[in-house]
Amino acid sequence: MKQSFIKSIVAMVLFFAFAKAYAQDLPAQLLTKEEAVQIMLENNFGILLANNQVTIAENNKSILNSGYLPSLTGNAGVNYSIDDQEATFQDGNVSTVDGAETTRYNASINLNYTLFDGLGRYYNYKTLKEQYGLSKLQARETIENVMLQLFSVYYEVARIEENLAVLETALDISKAREVRAQYQFDYGQVNKLEVLNAQVDIVTDSTNILNTRQQLRNAQRDLNVVLARELEDLKSADTTVTFVNPLEVEGYISEGIRNNVSILQAEQNITISDYQIKQAKSLLLPTIGLTGSYGWTEGNFPATNFLASSTSTGFQTGATLQWNLFDGGRSIIGVKNAKIFLENQKYTQEQLQQQVLRDIANAKGDYLNALKIYELQEQNVITSQANFDRSQERFKLGQVSSVEFRQAQLNLLNAQTTKNAAKYTAKLAEITLLQLTGQLLNVKF
């Protein structure tokens, strides 16, 4: 019996040595929520792309892209020709030149400026400004979506870490039970079944820890993908969760339809469509412009020309009026289609408002329900802990069997992991509600 006991101990030592080598890594460095958000804003590829789009829109709304500034061009040229010429003058004389050379030089600076174009550039400039505002809203929506993704993964890491701590505690309890059962067996107080049951539970708890650690590593890599960090630089998450004051949440909900980023984008699109109608109407009006130029020309001519050479410099200016009286009806159709597009944008806004109101109502219900479940699960943990403590005392006194004690331990384990899941489900429900009400970027986590 002693040899069997020694073999059992050796086997268990080898098993736990292997499990420890595989399962336990160096403690991961804590990544706070604030640090995670900062890294996300700096590194996430989707956010970087959105920020570049904002920069492009900002460049487009510049006065340099408005059409209000004049255009200034410089021109220069030289022409050279050689040919055989025969010239007959009015007095009847004839002059023949073989290989007559003619050279001409010219250079000029030309200025063009549009005084009036039917207000087309005015409304185009306003449209560019509104599109810049729209691009910022689109970037905000991207940031909100990525932040929601970030916290979904971040809190998944935190949940698994808490579950891992629970499982490790369960393993310590099972180990202590196995040692106790072995001593009792050695002194003939229990049969071998108690020892075997404890060893089976140790293997089960160890397997659960191994699987959970692998899940944790996978979740940490998922977090690094969102943060665009080195995949194997695994970080630990902060398991502390605080909820926004319920009164503040109610205030956010009441103003949700005004602050929702999708609604704001719809309003921006309506403004842009209205400007596009006015811009289309400008094609029906005349265009008035100013032109000016300063130039220099020089020519050298053969003997057959009246002049041997000529040089001129001078300034020219003028005004132009252009009015496209009829373009086949394209401008009229353009105005009609722009009006229809504006009408469609208003329909889209109304539909979106209804959907957002529904989403906010559903998110509020989910949030309140998740909070209630979390409260119930907290109470359930207290009850399960009391039941386990009572069962543990009775187990030590031999009043309950190892099977009954294990069941109490599993009940506590399930209650703790369920509470952990409920906590982060409630927090994610809150984050979703904050996103819908347009407050996700205005609160601290």
Side-chain angles (χ1 to χ4, degrees):
M1 184 181 70
K2 184 176 292 186
Q3 290 181 349
S4 176
F5 171 73
I6 293 175
K7 289 180 179 179
S8 176
I9 293 296
V10 171
M12 294 301 296
V13 169
L14 291 175
F15 173 82
F16 286 116
F18 168 78
K20 185 174 182 180
Y22 174 78
Q24 290 187 341
D25 301 321
L26 292 175
Q29 183 180 0
L30 176 66
L31 177 69
T32 66
K33 303 179 188 71
E34 293 77 12
E35 291 172 341
V37 171
Q38 185 63 34
I39 295 173
M40 176 200 73
L41 294 175
E42 294 175 355
N43 292 356
N44 183 268
F45 297 117
I47 293 177
L48 293 177
L49 290 172
N51 288 337
N52 281 343
Q53 292 299 321
V54 173
T55 303
I56 291 174
E58 185 177 14
N59 293 337
N60 288 337
K61 76 178 184 67
S62 168
I63 190 67
L64 299 175
N65 191 46
S66 65
Y68 275 108
L69 300 180
S71 63
L72 186 65
T73 59
N75 297 315
V78 59
N79 292 305
Y80 173 79
S81 63
I82 180 170
D83 50 11
D84 297 333
Q85 297 181 357
E86 181 180 302
T88 301
F89 298 96
Q90 291 182 351
D91 58 4
N93 291 329
V94 177
S95 176
T96 300
V97 178
D98 294 331
E101 295 182 355
T102 302
T103 57
R104 292 183 176 87
Y105 307 93
N106 68 85
S108 65
I109 296 178
N110 305 292
L111 176 70
N112 289 280
Y113 183 68
T114 301
L115 291 176
F116 179 76
D117 66 345
L119 298 178
R121 61 183 174 179
Y122 172 76
Y123 290 114
N124 179 62
Y125 189 43
K126 281 186 167 292
T127 298
L128 293 174
K129 287 185 174 181
E130 295 298 328
Q131 288 175 340
Y132 170 64
L134 179 61
S135 69
K136 291 203 295 184
L137 289 174
Q138 291 170 340
R140 171 186 155 186
E141 183 179 32
T142 299
I143 293 173
E144 289 181 357
N145 290 334
V146 174
M147 185 172 289
L148 183 60
Q149 181 186 8
L150 167 66
F151 280 111
S152 297
V153 180
Y154 185 91
Y155 285 133
E156 177 65 6
V157 173
R159 183 189 69 83
I160 296 175
E161 285 179 337
E162 285 202 90
N163 286 351
L164 184 59
V166 171
L167 292 171
E168 288 173 344
T169 301
L171 177 60
D172 291 338
I173 294 172
S174 297
K175 287 180 180 179
R177 181 161 66 90
E178 193 269 343
V179 172
R180 178 184 177 85
Q182 189 64 57
Y183 282 138
Q184 289 177 326
F185 173 72
D186 290 342
Y187 288 100
Q189 296 177 355
V190 297
N191 58 30
K192 187 64 175 180
L193 183 61
E194 293 292 329
V195 178
L196 295 176
N197 285 338
Q199 292 176 349
V200 169
D201 291 339
I202 288 175
V203 172
T204 300
D205 293 341
S206 300
T207 302
N208 291 337
I209 289 176
L210 291 175
N211 289 333
T212 303
R213 284 190 177 275
Q214 183 58 42
Q215 292 174 6
L216 177 59
R217 283 189 285 267
N218 292 344
Q220 289 171 325
R221 292 189 187 98
D222 291 339
L223 178 61
N224 284 337
V225 169
V226 177
L227 299 178
R229 297 177 66 253
E230 172 61 37
L231 286 179
E232 296 304 325
D233 186 10
L234 307 181
K235 298 292 185 180
S236 176
D238 184 4
T239 58
T240 303
V241 171
T242 56
F243 293 94
V244 179
N245 188 296
L247 294 178
E248 292 184 15
V249 173
E250 286 296 332
Y252 296 154
I253 293 174
S254 64
E255 297 293 326
I257 198 67
R258 298 181 183 179
N259 298 323
N260 180 272
V261 68
S262 298
I263 297 296
L264 294 176
Q265 288 183 70
E267 294 173 353
Q268 201 83 5
N269 282 323
I270 289 176
T271 303
I272 292 174
S273 297
D274 185 56
Y275 285 146
Q276 288 175 340
I277 291 175
K278 296 174 181 178
Q279 188 177 352
K281 289 181 177 179
S282 68
L283 297 176
L284 303 175
L285 299 176
T287 300
I288 301 174
L290 291 177
T291 61
S293 66
Y294 182 82
W296 163 82
T297 60
E298 179 180 321
N300 297 305
F301 310 105
T304 55
N305 196 285
F306 179 73
L307 297 174
S309 64
S310 68
T311 302
S312 66
T313 58
F315 175 75
Q316 294 181 351
T317 186
T320 61
L321 171 65
Q322 183 178 359
W323 197 341
N324 193 348
L325 298 177
F326 184 70
D327 62 355
R330 288 188 296 273
S331 298
I332 297 175
I333 295 301
V335 173
K336 289 182 177 180
N337 288 340
K339 290 180 178 179
I340 294 173
F341 187 75
L342 174 60
E343 187 177 10
N344 287 341
Q345 292 289 353
K346 292 180 179 179
Y347 290 149
T348 300
Q349 183 193 34
E350 293 177 3
Q351 182 185 33
L352 191 59
Q353 284 179 342
Q354 189 177 37
Q355 293 174 347
V356 169
L357 287 173
R358 177 206 62 193
D359 293 342
I360 290 176
N362 290 345
K364 177 183 177 181
D366 293 340
Y367 171 60
L368 296 177
N369 187 65
L371 281 179
K372 186 63 178 178
I373 292 175
Y374 176 48
E375 293 173 1
L376 292 174
Q377 292 302 328
E378 282 186 312
Q379 185 60 45
N380 189 38
V381 169
I382 295 174
T383 303
S384 299
Q385 184 68 54
N387 178 63
F388 173 75
D389 292 340
R390 178 64 174 168
S391 298
Q392 191 173 40
E393 292 175 2
R394 297 181 65 188
F395 176 70
K396 291 177 180 179
L397 297 174
Q399 296 176 351
V400 297
S401 66
S402 61
V403 175
E404 292 173 315
F405 175 74
R406 178 63 176 179
Q407 186 59 51
Q409 183 186 14
L410 291 178
N411 290 340
L412 176 59
L413 177 65
N414 293 333
Q416 289 172 327
T417 55
T418 303
K419 185 208 73 171
N420 293 339
K423 178 173 68 172
Y424 295 113
T425 297
K427 187 58 182 179
L428 289 175
E430 179 189 81
I431 291 175
T432 300
L433 181 59
L434 291 173
Q435 180 193 24
L436 289 170
T437 56
Q439 300 296 331
L440 183 58
L441 304 182
N442 300 327
V443 298
K444 293 183 178 180
F445 294 94

